[in-house]
Amino acid sequence: MRVTIDVLFKKKKKGLKITMVSTYDYWSAKLCDEVGIDCILVGDSLGMVVQGKDSTLPVTLDEVIYHTKCVQEGAKNAFIIADMPFLSYQVSPEKAIENCGRVLKETKAQAVKLEGGEEIAELVYRLTKIGIPVVGHIGFTPQSINIFGKPKVIGKRKEEEEKLRRDFKALEEAGAFMVILESVPWRLTKELWENSKSIVIGIGAGKYTDGQVLVFHDIVGLFEDFKPKFVRRYLEGAKLIKEALTNFKIDVEKGEFPSEAESYGQ
Ligand code: KIV
């Protein structure tokens, strides 16, 4: 049965942790679904993980729609969130509503995720009112990499701490049912979570949350370009795959693949 917002709130109420994985295609979504991951985020991290770009900025709305459709085919139970890419919701409220609506219409995603706090609160309110559930994303927000300069922890300085409190409150008041906190000191996360009405999901924000999100390729060790402090690799996937590919190459080169059993007779 498809996970709904109601199911997620029931988990929060019971103190049951929520799991979320960023993934972008049929097979990885199917694997997540088969082990009971609650939510799949079709993140704009696909720019780096799938496309090999150095930031999330080049990702387009059509690409998010394409990948969300692939994920839909694989995940029959998980709650699916589509990440709105850079400039798909910042230009004007009308354009944002049209784009978010298009994502829900074309992909059957159940919610959209937007980066930002106070500055997008009005938009979050309007989207929610017309039936588009919104996930907020504050703390380190990768679409603002050119402002931050590099990935960093947000909330260490007094002004940042206060801004995060305001952002969190603004998103909740505007109707965001879920807020993702990225790279936030755990004490501040704990404070926000303890007073929260929304579902709080962390990434690099410590354990005092309703749940955690990580990128699929980080969990299974497929993405080796860099490893943030908050990533836990549960598999050395890239190493295992390279071993398999090397063995295939050796077998072909030595004439040991295919064997008779792997060939068709007459
Ligand atoms: O794009 C993404 O995958 C994300 C998560 C890491 C929160 O924004």
Side-chain angles (χ1 to χ4, degrees):
M1 264 233 310
R2 182 70 75 188
V3 175
T4 59
I5 290 185
D6 197 42
V7 170
L8 297 173
F9 271 107
K10 280 194 181 125
K11 284 194 94 165
K12 175 181 172 85
K13 206 164 159 206
K14 287 189 189 156
L16 298 172
K17 295 288 184 192
I18 293 166
T19 50
M20 185 189 293
V21 175
S22 282
T23 194
Y24 325 96
D25 56 40
Y26 166 79
W27 73 269
S28 55
K30 190 160 180 284
L31 294 177
C32 290
D33 216 46
E34 283 171 3
V35 302
I37 296 296
D38 299 297
C39 307
I40 292 180
L41 170 65
V42 186
D44 60 358
S45 49
L46 76 88
M48 296 157 98
V49 173
V50 176
Q51 300 174 338
K53 307 266 168 58
D54 64 358
S55 81
T56 60
L57 299 188
V59 175
T60 67
L61 184 62
D62 285 340
E63 287 165 352
V64 168
I65 288 176
Y66 167 80
H67 285 280
T68 309
K69 283 181 180 167
C70 297
V71 163
Q72 275 290 355
E73 295 298 327
K76 299 298 173 204
N77 301 305
F79 186 89
I80 297 176
I81 304 161
D83 205 0
M84 297 304 291
F86 184 57
L87 288 195
S88 67
Y89 58 96
Q90 294 94 337
V91 175
S92 72
E94 288 67 34
K95 196 80 205 144
I97 291 169
E98 199 178 310
N99 286 339
C100 293
R102 196 183 144 205
V103 167
L104 256 60
K105 260 177 181 286
E106 292 182 25
T107 71
K108 293 202 278 176
Q110 292 149 282
V112 293
K113 177 171 86 59
L114 312 183
E115 293 185 8
E118 293 174 301
E119 51 293 323
I120 62 156
E122 177 68 34
L123 175 62
V124 173
Y125 178 80
R126 286 184 65 179
L127 289 168
T128 308
K129 280 286 166 252
I130 58 170
I132 302 180
V134 177
V135 177
H137 181 169
I138 52 176
F140 174 68
T141 45
Q143 289 176 16
S144 302
I145 186 68
N146 290 317
I147 301 284
F148 292 125
K150 59 178 173 44
K152 59 185 281 228
V153 180
I154 307 292
K156 280 186 166 173
R157 301 201 330 258
K158 197 89 204 129
E159 319 84 81
E160 286 175 349
E161 211 178 280
E162 262 143 34
K163 167 87 173 109
L164 263 180
R165 286 195 187 99
R166 290 201 306 278
D167 285 341
F168 189 78
K169 187 161 180 276
L171 287 173
E172 282 203 331
E173 284 178 0
F177 76 96
M178 180 184 276
V179 180
I180 294 179
L181 298 177
E182 177 163 352
S183 301
V184 173
W186 67 265
R187 280 194 187 80
L188 181 54
T189 304
K190 184 168 184 278
E191 176 201 308
L192 297 173
W193 174 59
E194 282 173 349
N195 299 299
S196 64
K197 296 195 295 281
S198 58
I199 295 163
V200 179
I201 303 292
I203 174 161
K207 67 176 185 178
Y208 297 99
T209 60
D210 296 307
Q212 297 290 323
V213 56
L214 280 181
V215 168
F216 180 90
H217 298 60
D218 285 336
I219 297 173
V220 298
L222 290 178
F223 188 69
E224 291 184 307
D225 292 3
F226 58 88
K227 180 180 168 297
K229 176 183 165 77
F230 56 74
V231 165
R232 186 181 295 179
R233 274 191 196 150
Y234 288 84
L235 184 74
E236 292 299 335
K239 285 193 184 67
L240 291 173
I241 291 173
K242 278 188 263 187
E243 215 174 282
L245 293 170
T246 305
N247 288 336
F248 168 71
K249 180 172 146 54
I250 292 171
D251 285 353
V252 171
E253 286 170 355
K254 289 196 336 202
E256 288 178 5
F257 176 84
S259 66
E260 212 176 302
E262 286 153 341
S263 308
Y264 293 110
Q266 289 220 320

